[in-house]
Amino acid sequence: MGKPSRERSLPENEAKAVARNLRVSPQKLNLVAGLIRGKKVDAALADLEFSRKRIAQDVRKCVMSAVANAENNHQLSIDQLVVAEAYVGKNLVMKRFHARGRGRASMVHKPFSQITVVVREVAEDEEKKSKGRKRSKAADAVQAKEAE
């Protein structure tokens, strides 16, 4: 007799994964998360594979876990997955002391953080619409002049 399963908090076309207790500051982790936001999963994994940031490998594992959750638990197509959200949160902070001159000490903060990656299945027609939206207003004005 277990407890009843709770309702799904994400829509049917999304899956997520969380990596906790990553030994990096949230600010540095957010730089890596910014690299993958809004990209297709295969492009995001390629960017993380060749990133020079140390924490990029842990973020890559989290993205791969989100893809595996989407494929195995929610039967989503992995070819149409996009990193919809990648957000970073603070975790615990270890406080240590560093010996200084004249018998004094100073605090050393060793922060931990966590990252949540949400992947979303996007159909091809939605993909084309989103690519069309990225054009600038100047490009729209040029196209309008050509139409006249």
Side-chain angles (χ1 to χ4, degrees):
M1 184 100 185
K3 63 182 185 179
S5 62
R6 63 185 189 92
E7 288 186 29
R8 188 163 147 74
S9 60
L10 295 172
E12 291 299 320
N13 64 341
E14 291 183 356
K16 78 173 182 176
V18 181
R20 290 190 168 91
N21 293 331
L22 299 175
R23 179 62 187 88
V24 67
S25 71
Q27 185 175 5
K28 291 177 185 175
L29 184 59
N30 197 32
L31 291 174
V32 177
L35 288 175
I36 62 172
R37 283 190 190 107
K39 291 187 178 179
K40 290 189 65 111
V41 168
D42 53 352
L45 289 173
D47 287 350
L48 292 171
E49 178 72 28
F50 298 107
S51 174
R52 297 189 57 183
K53 302 281 187 183
R54 173 188 61 87
I55 202 65
Q57 295 307 312
D58 291 331
V59 175
R60 184 173 182 273
K61 281 180 14 180
C62 185
V63 172
M64 290 174 65
S65 177
V67 170
N69 289 341
E71 182 181 17
N72 297 322
N73 299 346
H74 308 299
Q75 289 73 40
L76 301 178
S77 171
I78 61 172
D79 297 329
Q80 298 173 349
L81 289 179
V82 172
V83 178
E85 302 172 24
Y87 51 91
V88 174
K90 288 173 67 171
N91 212 322
L92 64 101
V93 177
M94 287 195 303
K95 297 178 181 78
R96 299 290 182 259
F97 288 99
H98 185 72
R100 306 303 297 212
R102 304 173 80 174
R104 287 180 282 194
S106 61
M107 287 283 286
V108 175
H109 295 286
K110 298 190 172 194
F112 286 72
S113 54
Q114 64 187 33
I115 184 167
T116 304
V117 176
V118 177
V119 293
R120 179 180 300 141
E121 186 179 41
V122 179
E124 286 99 20
D125 55 334
E126 292 178 29
E127 212 172 287
K128 290 176 185 173
K129 287 180 186 176
S130 66
K131 286 182 182 176
R133 284 190 205 127
K134 292 181 182 176
R135 295 188 340 191
S136 66
K137 290 182 181 179
D140 290 338
V142 169
Q143 187 179 12
K145 285 184 181 179
E146 290 174 359
E148 293 174 357

